[in-house]
Amino acid sequence: MIILASSSQRRAELLRQIGIDFKTLETSIDESRLATESAEEYVCRMAETKARAGQKMASDQAQPLPVLAADTIISIDGSIVGKPHDSQDCHRMLAKLSDSQHQVLSAVALGYAGRLELKMSLNQVKFRALEEWEIEAYCALDEPLDKAGAYAIQGKAAIFIERIEGSYSAVMGLPLFETAALLREAGISVLKQ
């Protein structure tokens, strides 16, 4: 059993997929980017900060459980594309992603036994050229509003993606290869029945 320091349904679904027993704990942290921080440094710091916040919140347990946290961002030419504030912001983001390639960085941190281990997955995603009506139709949905880059690969936006180089689960929000490696290193078995 571990603690997932996230309220993300996607991350919960992905952990279930590999047979991990967990309970969720929502953390609240300052997600401001530091002035000199690269996209890689930022996503790693966010995952670590969430894991530490989860450890602190769960520290009152007699036997503290390992705490898993993750962060996923989208970057175009080193610029982070966050979550859209509204449908107009969604439109701006998707227009920027249209007919271009962007990076999806997903970091995962595991805090256990006084340690904090971290791994990151770097992925390339290529969007086809989007029609104006497609952007408007997609931005009118609820789906993109709480997603980095204003899209969900596992949702309707899958039709926009021409190519992905890397990990599908990382683009979805939790890099399972890296997550499983961290769990194994901590002595937590995956793929349980």
Side-chain angles (χ1 to χ4, degrees), residues 119-130:
K119 293 190 183 289
M120 189 190 76
S121 174
L122 177 61
N123 311 275
Q124 304 290 334
V125 178
K126 169 74 168 76
F127 265 38
R128 65 172 170 78
L130 304 180

Side-chain angles (χ1 to χ4, degrees), residues 52-100:
R52 289 189 198 287
Q55 283 181 298
K56 188 174 181 180
M57 291 172 71
S59 65
D60 61 349
Q61 298 174 358
Q63 285 236 292
L65 295 171
V67 175
L68 183 81
D71 196 63
T72 301
I73 61 167
I74 290 180
S75 174
I76 297 179
D77 302 324
S79 255
I80 294 175
V81 180
K83 296 176 184 177
H85 304 295
D86 53 31
S87 61
Q88 189 174 13
D89 199 25
C90 175
H91 188 283
R92 179 190 61 77
M93 288 180 182
L94 290 178
K96 189 172 184 173
L97 296 177
S98 177
D99 198 26
S100 68

Side-chain angles (χ1 to χ4, degrees), residues 125-140:
V125 178
K126 169 74 168 76
F127 265 38
R128 65 172 170 78
L130 304 180
E131 300 286 340
E132 181 67 24
W133 68 266
E134 290 177 299
I135 294 174
E136 288 178 12
Y138 188 68
C139 290

Side-chain angles (χ1 to χ4, degrees), residues 10 37 79 83 86 105-106 108 112 153 160 176 180 186 191:
R10 295 173 309 283
E37 201 167 36
S79 255
K83 296 176 184 177
D86 53 31
L105 297 87
S106 194
V108 60
Y112 65 98
I153 191 172
F160 303 155
L176 288 181
L191 298 178

